[in-house]
Amino acid sequence: MARRAWSDRDPGNGAGTSRTKGLDSQRVAPAAGLNGNGHGNGGNNGAAASHALGERGRAEAALAFAASIVESSDDAIVGTTLDGVITSWNAGAERLYGYTAREVIGRWPIGIAIPEDELPMILERVRRGERVEHYETVLVRKDGRRVDVSVTMSPIRGGEGRIVGASSIARDITHRKEAEAAIRERDTVRSVASLAAASAHEINNPLAAAMGHLQLLADGVDAKGRRRIDEILDALSRIQEIVIRMTQITRLELTDPAPYLPEMLDLSRSSELGSPDKGLQT
């Protein structure tokens, strides 16, 4: 007798079984898309989808966390193309450079932080995968103020490891530079003052002897000779004042520029004796 086949579907969810019926035998098999326990691959597929969504959520959360770190950093963090055109600009960059992100993204080259003549060389190093660390330069803010900065540039790599851009991290080092300059000035003043004091000592000994002998000679000459000796003593007194100033140097002040003369220390302004409250009348 001919065999008949039909399928019964569960009206609730559309899933069911396919049955083949003969005269002396009957087999019940899972319908297409179902496994042996009647649940099909939907369970496994649902678990895989849920896992993928979880991984995606965690990745997005990690990216958001990293973005918040960049945005809240005190350092100026800037993303650029390999041509130097800015693609990202955090709040630290706005504070340091004075430009808003809207003003610079896609419009301004990173040369506002790195001199234009040195930018191609640095970007070429980044293209080769090199990291340029602690490059110190002077930038000009939007308001025209000059700021000392330390810049580190690193390559940005895409998903396949190819270098697609550069990241720049700039830090304001103005206070450090000012401290270093103060230390250098202190050491220079100390060296100059030490040399001047030693020279003053060597000058003062014969100067005092000369003034003493002139004063003794003044008692044995006539009026005309006394006037000449007084003139000599006045000149030596001015030399003596200079010698005293040489022992009181506390800062370095140069004389006003003059043609055909080298830079010279202005003793009157560089010594304590030259200050308004302690100055000697000359």
Side-chain angles (χ1 to χ4, degrees):
M1 181 179 293
R3 297 160 59 94
R4 292 183 299 174
W6 72 93
S7 68
D8 293 333
R9 295 286 179 180
D10 184 347
N13 55 18
T17 59
S18 174
R19 295 188 292 174
T20 303
K21 182 177 181 181
L23 293 177
D24 56 356
S25 65
Q26 179 173 319
R27 180 169 60 86
V28 179
L34 299 181
N35 57 20
N37 60 13
H39 295 292
N41 290 330
N44 290 337
N45 289 342
S50 177
H51 179 73
L53 288 174
E55 288 294 325
R56 180 178 177 180
R58 284 190 288 272
E60 290 177 349
L63 287 174
F65 181 67
S68 68
I69 293 175
V70 170
E71 187 62 20
S72 62
S73 174
D74 286 336
D75 294 335
I77 302 177
V78 180
T80 74
T81 67
L82 290 176
D83 295 326
V85 178
I86 295 172
T87 57
S88 64
W89 187 267
N90 75 336
E94 292 189 5
R95 290 189 295 270
L96 180 60
Y97 298 107
Y99 296 95
T100 65
R102 180 176 297 180
E103 290 177 295
V104 297
I105 290 180
R107 303 180 187 179
W108 285 81
I110 195 62
I112 61 175
I114 297 177
E116 293 290 347
D117 57 340
E118 299 178 22
L119 181 60
M121 175 191 68
I122 292 176
L123 288 177
E124 181 58 33
R125 292 180 60 184
V126 172
R127 288 189 188 97
R128 295 197 300 264
E130 298 180 22
R131 178 182 172 94
V132 181
E133 294 188 281
H134 307 306
Y135 175 87
E136 295 187 1
T137 185
V138 178
L139 65 86
V140 180
R141 287 172 43 88
K142 182 180 178 180
D143 59 11
R145 184 165 60 90
R146 298 171 68 85
V147 181
D148 290 292
V149 294
S150 174
V151 183
T152 295
M153 293 194 69
S154 307
I156 299 175
R157 299 182 183 274
E160 299 178 354
R162 186 169 59 90
I163 297 174
V164 296
S167 69
S168 166
I169 301 177
R171 176 169 296 179
D172 187 346
I173 57 172
T174 301
H175 294 311
R176 194 195 82 191
K177 286 292 186 179
E178 290 174 348
E180 290 175 351
I183 292 173
R184 287 194 300 270
E185 182 177 1
R186 182 200 64 192
D187 292 343
T188 302
V189 169
R190 184 177 296 169
S191 298
V192 171
S194 177
L195 176 61
S199 300
H201 177 73
E202 295 298 325
I203 295 172
N204 190 60
N205 288 338
L207 179 63
M211 294 180 71
H213 286 297
L214 283 171
Q215 289 169 351
L216 292 175
L217 289 174
D219 295 334
V221 297
D222 57 15
K224 183 178 181 180
R226 180 179 289 275
R227 286 196 300 271
R228 290 182 177 179
I229 289 177
D230 288 341
E231 291 174 357
I232 295 173
L233 287 173
D234 286 342
L236 292 179
S237 294
R238 290 194 292 272
I239 295 175
Q240 189 176 46
E241 181 182 308
I242 293 173
V243 170
I244 294 174
R245 290 184 186 279
M246 291 172 64
T247 64
Q248 301 293 326
I249 292 176
T250 57
R251 56 190 174 275
L252 299 181
E253 297 285 350
L254 300 180
T255 57
D256 296 331
Y260 312 113
L261 289 177
E263 287 186 336
M264 294 184 295
L265 189 69
D266 189 326
L267 281 174
S268 178
R269 293 185 294 173
S270 299
S271 64
E272 286 294 329
L273 292 177
S275 59
D277 55 338
K278 297 183 180 181
L280 291 179
Q281 299 298 321
T282 59

